Each structure stands twice: as C-alpha cells, then as structure tokens.
Amino acid sequence: MSASWPLFPFPGMALVAGGLLLPLVPRGLRGPVMLVLPVLGLLQLVALPAGTSLSLDVLGLTLEVVRADGLSLIFGYVFHLAAFLGIIFSLRIRDLGQQVAALVYAGSAIGAVFAGDLLTLFLYWELTAVSSVFLIWAAREEGAFRAGLRYLMVQILSGMLLLVGVVLHYQSTNSLAFGHLGLESPGGALIFLAFGIKCAFPLLHTWLPDAYPRATVTGAVFLSAFTTKLAVYALARGFAGTEFLIWVGALMAVLPVFYAVIEDDLRRVLSYSLIVQLGFMVVGVGVGTELALNGTAAHAFGHVLYKALLFMAIGAVLHQTGTARASELGGLYRSMPLTAWFCMVGAASISAVPLFSGFVSKAFITSATAQAGHHLAWTMLLFASAGALLYVGIKVPYLAFFGRDSGVRVAEAPRSMLVAMGLGAALSVVIGVRPQLLYGILPFPAGYNPYTPGHVLGQLQLLLFSALAFVILYRRGWYPRMVPSINLDFDWIWRRGLPRAWQFLARFAAPAWHRGRSASGTILRRALDLLQCHFGPGSRLARIWPTGSMVLWVVVLLALSLLVSYF
Amino acid sequence: MRDEAEMVFGKSTKVRWVFWGLLAACLMILAADFFQEKRGYVPWEGWKGFQSGFGFLAGLVVVLLAHGLRRLVGRGRDYYER
C-alpha cells in the first residue's frame, strides 16, 4: 500500500463521501464544494503511482479494493474530468437530490475501475445502478419515472448476473481476482453477459435510448459518461482478445446508425450514436492487441469528453427552449451562437474530422483492426464513420441551430453551462491537435501516428463524400423528414409484444380453459357419484357381508387363478 | 421537393453555393488521391478513390435504408401511452 495518498484511501471516495455529506453543507456553499471534490480526486490519482495495490481481509476473503495500473488510471482520469465538467454544467440546477446522485454515481464509477477483485467491482457496479436512476427520476415526469424503473430493472439484472458469475467463478477457482477471465472460465459467460448489458450490446441496448433522453438536462451529461464506459473498461480488463467481441462491436457500430438518422429527439440521436461509438471500443477490446487496447482507452477518453459536450449542448437547448426535438427546432444559432459553436466542435470530434479528438482515437482502433486481418470488421467501422457524419456531424447541429428557422428566440445558455461546454470543446481540440498529451497516459507505450498523409486524405475523402451524399439527398427531399414520432426498438418485445401475447392468451385460451374445467368437473362429478353408488353408505359393497360368503368368494378367486395358471 | 429544400437550407442561392463548394472540395480531394501513394493492411484500402466512393455510397445506403426502417418502426409519439 502506498503511503502517499493525501486525502482518502480509495479513489472515488471523495466524490461518494462528498455526495452523501452534501445535504449538511449550506445551500450557498454546495456548488464550490462540489467543484472541489473532483479536483481533490484527480490530485489523489496523480499521486497514485501505477502498480499500487491495497488489499483488505473481509470475512475470510482477501479483497483487492484498490488496484491502480495503466488501464484503470486512464479511466479514472477521464471520469474525474467528466465529473468536473458535469458539475460546472449543473451549477445552475439547485436540486439536492440530483447533486447527491451525480456525485455518488461518479464516485462509484471511479471506485469500480480501481477494483482489483470481482466482489468490490460488484458492489460499485450496483452503486452506479442505484445512484444513477435518480438522475432519470429527477425529471419528475410520469414517462421518466417509468423509463427509470425499466432502466433500474435492467441494471439490477446486470448486477445479479455478475454476482452469480462471481460466485461460480469463486467456487471453481477459489479466487476473486479481477484479471483476464475469458468466456471459457467458470462463470465467465455470466460475467460477460452482465458487462454486455451495461455496454449496450445489440438487443440488450434498449435501456440506453429509452432512459437517457428521459433524464434531466444535467443528468444525461453524467449518464453519458460513466455507465457504459465502466462496462468497456470491465470488458477490456476481463475479456480482451475475445474474437466474438469484434463482431458484437461491429454490429453495435452499424445497426444504431439507421435509428439515429430517423430519430426526432436529438438526445435520443445522441444515445444511439453513443452505442455506435461503444461499438468501436468493443471492437478494440475484441482485437485485443496493445494498439487496439490503447485505441479503446483513447477512444473512451475522447468520447467521454465530446459526448458529454454534445449532451451539454443539446441539454442547453432543452433548458432554454423546453424541447430537444428536431421537428420543433431550427435557426437557434441566432439566439445561442456559442452553444452552436461548441456543438459543432463536438460534432466534428465524433465525426473524426482531422484535428479533433475522435480522429486520433478512431484511427488507433481501425488500424489495429486492419492489422489483425479483420477486413470485414474494418469495413463495417468505415461505414459507421461515414454514418456518424450524417446522423450527428451534420444532423444534430444543423437541425438544432441552422436550417429551417423555427422562430424560437431564447437567451444564450447560462454562463456556467457555456464554461463547461467551452472546456469540453477545448479538450476535444487539444487531444486532436496534440495527441501526444494523451499518449502519456495510455495503458501501453504508444508509437502510433494517426497524422500520416494517407490516413488524413482517406478520412477527408470519406467525410466530404458522405457530406455530398447528404446535401444531394436533402436537396432532393430524400433525407427523412423530422416528424414528431417515436421509433419502435427491440424493447417493443417486452413493452408491447409480451403483454399483447398474454392478452391474446387471456382472450382465446381462457374460454377454452373454462370449458375444459366445466367438462372435467362433470366427469369428476359422475365418477364421484359412481363411487358413492358402490362404496357409499348403504351401497352394495359397503354392506356387512357374512364370513361364509367372504370365504366362498375367496375360494372362487383361487379356483379361477388355478385355472388361469394351468392354461 | 425544391420548396422543402429551400426551406431547409435557406435561400436557393445559398443551397447552390453549398452544393457547388462541396462538390469542388470533393473533386479536389479525390484528385489528390492520385498523387498520393496509398498503402493499407486491407486490400481495397489502397484502391484509388476507395474512401470517396465508399463514403458516398455509405451516405446513400444509410439514408435510403433509414427510410425503409421508418416505415417499419415509426409510430405516433403517444404509442406507448395509449
């Protein structure tokens, strides 16, 4: 154990403890106190050398409650940055419940990435689930409450699967160490599934676009940063090099693109695009080489910042106008020019425009995928990159801030929100322009240069020509119009499909059941009557028979059995 | 269709400027491809103009398939409240 930890023994503890004690802080001081907490946590991490480990013996189990290495530290750094930006963004929102939930949520996610054993991971895993749901419920709407319940059920299911997997793993290996697990390890498949739910694997993803757009303006910023990136970290720690993940990630990168194009709610567009970016990271984990894992870590780092920036920009629009629907927005650059600029920086980053952060980190992953010989997966990632420009790079800033003038005139976003967006935008540009700053904190030595002429040229071609396709389609009126609507996703199965199947059964099977019951009741009654007739009081078999006649019948039966045995 | 495009992009002169400017940029960047030696781990990555054609086709495919998807899954906003 290192003796140089200045403040709290556990990473993330400053935020969790600060969040729980926040109600005791005078209202006027809560903002400054909240701002200090991630700074203290970040200082703690800076003082925490890689290779540090802290173990505790609890109930006969040895738990490595803190394990700091290159992989956990980069996630720890960016989680602190995200918490800091989120807190600045939310300074205007004086809702104690949200403030406590956000701090505990951020702190538990940080604690989870430093967990060296599976049981500690499980505890933090559940704490992120329980604390984060309050950021959805804090919207105080019926729809948000229901979405929060669905979100909580899915997150708790993930936690339960993780717990069962951990128990099976411990029974077989007598170890709780959280290192490389692999699908074939005892309990590995269940742990993989638990991580997959939180990482929004295909068909397990619906909780994300269902819940995040229902969260509060500031809650969505926090939600976008922690849960899914914690899952990416867990996959990188436990399942790096699992080839199955390459195809899972490639599907994650491609399938949500189509939903993002037709979606009207811009925060839901960002939710689908979040899954696309997770797909890149999951592919990196699946490839599993040092370059690929560096790419996953770098992409997670950059993505946390620019995705938070995009959620902040659209959140600011929602805060000022009361809507985040593209069909009700347009022309807002006149009212919110700075927010529009920051949104465009986020859009350029997610579209991997050279000199923005997404370009650097995506290049790591696509190069590693190609080097490993996964040509089809590489092509799918290229498709997702082209799509990213269409559904976020152009669509989100264009439909919100430019395009058709909706006539909405509002004030620019509050200063605290602008400061947070400005910092997020600056960090996205700095990473894009000086990627060497990021290389220093990557888990493995990075000797990769994304700024080769061939790569820059290829990326510019991809982006410019997909933009050309957008303009042509828009001019022709073939780009899907934004109309107030929702799009059914796979969660339709349990939100409508299964209840309808049950109603169908109730409607058609119930009468048959009742008819069956009445028919069987009749048969039963007749059988009882028959028994009553022959064995009931006063019936023939219930009479008292003389002993002689009993002996006579026994003799008759014996004679019959003799005859049968002879023949 | 044209009215809608003008409504979305602003005045028709602006639409034309955006379109022709983008087309010029595309042609220049495509021309640059022929002066640049391309290498890659994926066989088709080195083809001249591959990323240009792929980007354009990907844009078309995404939008056209999205149209079909909307017909399949698009519903009224109150679908789940009904």
Side-chain angles (χ1 to χ4, degrees), chain A residues 262 398 478 481 492 496, chain B residues 8 67 70 73 75 79-80:
Chain A
I262 59 176
Y398 187 75
W478 290 347
R481 288 180 61 192
W492 181 88
R496 280 292 176 271
Chain B
V8 171
H67 266 294
R70 168 172 279 176
V73 301
R75 297 290 187 278
Y79 176 80
Y80 282 118

Side-chain angles (χ1 to χ4, degrees), chain A residues 195-469:
Chain A
F195 293 171
I197 289 174
K198 243 181 168 82
C199 197
F201 279 4
L203 307 187
L204 307 174
H205 68 283
T206 53
W207 61 269
L208 199 159
D210 178 29
Y212 283 15
R214 297 282 194 175
T216 62
V217 165
T218 53
V221 176
F222 284 98
L223 286 166
S224 74
F226 299 114
T227 299
T228 49
K229 258 60 74 184
L230 169 58
V232 167
Y233 161 80
L235 284 171
R237 175 73 67 190
F239 298 94
T242 303
E243 190 169 341
F244 178 57
L245 281 174
I246 297 174
W247 304 112
V248 170
L251 284 176
M252 287 171 74
V254 169
L255 295 180
V257 167
F258 304 101
Y259 271 94
V261 168
I262 59 176
E263 184 57 54
D264 180 38
D265 184 337
L266 293 179
R267 292 207 300 174
R268 192 157 282 133
V269 172
L270 295 180
S271 302
Y272 279 114
S273 83
L274 202 161
I275 300 174
V276 173
Q277 302 306 311
L278 290 172
F280 278 82
M281 298 174 215
V282 171
V283 169
V285 174
V287 173
T289 60
E290 288 193 356
L291 179 64
L293 292 175
N294 267 349
T296 294
H299 200 48
F301 192 98
H303 176 260
V304 165
L305 298 173
Y306 64 66
K307 183 57 75 177
L309 172 59
L310 285 166
F311 267 105
M312 285 193 274
I314 298 304
V317 168
L318 175 62
H319 185 255
Q320 297 301 96
T321 67
T323 181
R325 290 193 166 269
S327 56
E328 298 165 2
L329 294 170
L332 274 179
Y333 77 92
R334 297 176 181 88
S335 307
M336 306 175 73
L338 289 172
T339 305
W341 272 106
F342 295 139
C343 184
M344 283 192 288
V345 171
S349 297
I350 200 170
S351 305
V353 174
L355 303 181
F356 293 87
S357 65
F359 175 75
V360 174
S361 51
K362 275 186 187 173
F364 270 87
I365 295 173
T366 52
S367 296
T369 308
Q371 276 185 27
H374 299 289
H375 298 167
L376 178 59
W378 177 86
T379 310
M380 291 168 80
L381 293 185
L382 203 65
F383 181 85
S385 294
L389 184 83
L390 290 177
Y391 64 79
V392 181
I394 297 175
K395 175 180 172 175
V396 170
Y398 187 75
L399 294 183
F401 298 102
F402 304 98
R404 178 182 58 86
D405 186 0
S406 61
V408 175
R409 296 290 180 269
V410 290
E412 177 59 282
R415 192 174 301 165
S416 58
M417 292 187 174
L418 290 174
V419 169
M421 285 187 275
L423 283 173
L427 286 168
S428 294
V429 174
V430 166
I431 294 170
V433 175
R434 292 291 304 276
Q436 297 81 3
L437 295 173
L438 183 61
Y439 292 175
I441 55 170
L442 290 179
F444 301 103
Y448 178 75
N449 175 24
Y451 284 105
T452 59
H455 189 228
V456 172
L457 192 66
Q459 184 66 12
L460 284 176
Q461 284 181 355
L462 188 78
L463 296 177
L464 283 173
F465 274 86
S466 58
L468 184 68

Side-chain angles (χ1 to χ4, degrees), chain A residues 142-143 146-147 150 206 209-210 214 259 263 268 272 325 485-500, chain B residues 72-82:
Chain A
E142 177 69 18
R146 289 177 180 277
R150 290 191 291 273
T206 53
D210 178 29
R214 297 282 194 175
Y259 271 94
E263 184 57 54
R268 192 157 282 133
Y272 279 114
R325 290 193 166 269
S485 64
I486 62 160
N487 299 301
L488 305 184
D489 203 336
F490 195 70
D491 58 348
W492 181 88
I493 297 287
W494 52 86
R495 291 179 68 181
R496 280 292 176 271
L498 290 178
R500 280 184 185 173
Chain B
L72 191 67
V73 301
R75 297 290 187 278
R77 276 176 68 173
D78 61 343
Y79 176 80
Y80 282 118
E81 278 77 48
R82 268 184 265 151

Side-chain angles (χ1 to χ4, degrees), chain A residues 45-102:
Chain A
L45 283 199
V46 171
L48 191 69
T52 305
S53 172
L54 170 65
S55 296
L56 294 177
D57 286 325
V58 181
L59 301 172
L61 297 170
T62 302
L63 303 180
E64 190 182 11
V65 289
V66 179
R67 180 255 317 272
D69 61 8
L71 190 61
S72 50
L73 279 169
I74 186 171
F75 279 87
Y77 292 140
V78 78
F79 281 180
H80 278 97
L81 280 175
F84 185 64
L85 294 181
I87 289 167
I88 296 176
F89 186 74
S90 60
L91 281 176
R92 284 274 296 207
I93 314 292
R94 302 203 171 165
D95 178 349
L96 180 63
Q98 277 194 72
Q99 290 169 330
V100 172

